[in-house]
Amino acid sequence: MQPIDASLNPSQGMFSFDILFNLSKIGYHPEIADYLESLLINLADAQQITTADCTLAQAGHTLRVAVTCPELDALDVKNCTLYGKRTIEKIEAALQTPIQFIPTGIDPRYEPYIGQKNPAVYILQGSGIFPLLNGETNRYVPLYKIPFTYHDEACYNDVRFWNNNYTRLYGIWFNGIHEKFAQRQMQDPHSALSIQGRAVCQRIETLTGVPTYYFLFNYRRRSRTQERAWKCPLCGKNWLLEGAEPGDEFAFRCDEDRIVSRFTLNT
């Protein structure tokens, strides 16, 4: 990996890179584009990049794609899933030359990553670029920062499957299509979506030893007084955080059931 300009300020956003395929030895053929698509999916699954939806550009013998990463070393093979490592091996064998990851600058569209080695709490919250949050700072945590969570011990598919489901349901709710069904899935702790997400939280907590809470969506028509009287929907105990106010990221937390929520936006 090429050294990055020391003058770049990581507090201004995430790091941008070009991934380069050298086609000089084999030329271009459709299989190469398939390989690159697989690589981008693998990198996105581990959240080494923000999205797999990227545009390819070929100039001469170079195939280029621009990506955005949370950290300077995000693209290191040590952060890849097993499938990402295998894809890189296949690509480099086909190209007969290494893939190049070239730092190009800072992408200011994204909130910068602020790492913390030992968070006291994690929170799983859907509909964002990165669903895992540091519960102390409310800042995102890329999945490659935690052990593999899927049962094959090689990737994060369980987190990805749940997050994809949550994102689709949020879109359905936001657009008013089957709104009640989607809303119920996101805010009922007994729904299929919540059961799936809470199982992911339990898996993360088991692997990391860090208490991991599931975020419950909250969009109900009720007063602030009714909100403050709201009990944990699983155990029925008080779960309003002391000093919580409207606009806070999280206003409710049940340590026993590992769920959190916020004041409704529909008062």
Side-chain angles (χ1 to χ4, degrees):
M1 187 177 294
Q2 300 288 329
I4 197 165
D5 186 345
S7 66
L8 294 175
N9 184 357
S11 66
Q12 295 176 346
M14 292 191 193
F15 293 97
S16 58
F17 283 80
D18 278 349
I19 301 177
L20 304 183
F21 282 15
N22 185 340
L23 307 177
S24 61
K25 294 186 178 182
I26 64 169
Y28 177 80
H29 52 87
E31 186 181 29
I32 295 300
D34 292 340
Y35 277 149
L36 181 52
E37 183 179 0
S38 295
L39 176 61
L40 293 174
I41 290 171
N42 294 149
L43 294 175
D45 285 351
Q47 297 180 343
Q48 295 168 264
I49 61 176
T50 56
T51 178
D53 186 14
C54 303
T55 301
L56 312 187
Q58 183 181 357
H61 293 301
T62 301
L63 187 63
R64 179 190 307 267
V65 59
V67 298
T68 301
C69 307
E71 298 180 285
L72 268 176
D73 66 349
L75 295 172
D76 284 0
V77 69
K78 67 181 182 181
N79 296 322
C80 292
T81 65
L82 176 62
Y83 307 110
K85 293 175 183 177
R86 288 176 178 173
T87 301
I88 290 174
E89 290 171 359
K90 289 179 181 178
I91 292 172
E92 293 185 338
L95 295 176
Q96 303 173 43
T97 186
I99 301 170
Q100 290 183 283
F101 301 100
I102 309 297
T104 57
I106 297 292
D107 188 337
R109 296 174 299 170
Y110 295 96
E111 181 180 329
Y113 171 64
I114 298 176
Q116 183 173 335
K117 290 185 177 180
N118 299 302
V121 175
Y122 285 131
I123 295 173
L124 189 69
Q125 181 176 2
S127 76
I129 297 175
F130 299 98
L132 189 63
L133 304 179
N134 180 325
E136 296 174 295
T137 64
N138 298 331
R139 305 296 289 268
Y140 65 86
V141 179
L143 289 178
Y144 65 80
K145 290 295 187 180
I146 65 173
F148 296 135
T149 56
Y150 199 49
H151 60 73
D152 63 1
E153 299 182 350
C155 64
Y156 305 96
N157 278 353
D158 52 344
V159 185
R160 182 168 62 89
F161 295 156
W162 168 81
N163 195 42
N164 287 345
N165 289 338
Y166 194 104
T167 300
R168 293 185 183 105
L169 284 164
Y170 184 87
I172 289 172
W173 171 80
F174 190 82
N175 288 298
I177 304 171
H178 302 298
E179 180 178 348
K180 290 184 179 180
F181 168 78
Q183 183 171 325
R184 184 167 60 251
Q185 285 293 313
M186 292 188 294
Q187 68 182 21
D188 182 353
H190 301 288
S191 71
L193 178 70
S194 295
I195 291 171
Q196 182 186 24
R198 291 174 62 211
V200 168
C201 290
Q202 291 172 1
R203 177 67 171 163
I204 293 173
E205 181 165 338
T206 298
L207 291 170
T208 64
V210 177
T212 305
Y213 292 71
Y214 183 73
F215 174 78
L216 283 181
F217 187 72
N218 183 20
Y219 192 82
R220 296 171 171 87
R221 188 181 299 277
R222 57 190 180 192
S223 68
R224 292 293 182 212
T225 300
Q226 291 172 319
E227 278 283 274
R228 291 184 178 278
W230 186 27
K231 308 298 183 182
C232 172
L234 286 170
C235 66
K237 296 179 181 178
N238 292 328
W239 67 325
L240 177 67
L241 294 173
E242 184 177 354
E245 296 294 339
D248 289 352
E249 189 71 23
F250 304 107
F252 303 91
R253 185 180 73 200
C254 179
D255 295 327
E256 181 177 328
D257 294 307
R258 294 289 198 264
I259 57 174
V260 297
S261 191
R262 64 165 61 105
F263 284 116
T264 179
L265 302 176
N266 191 31
T267 300

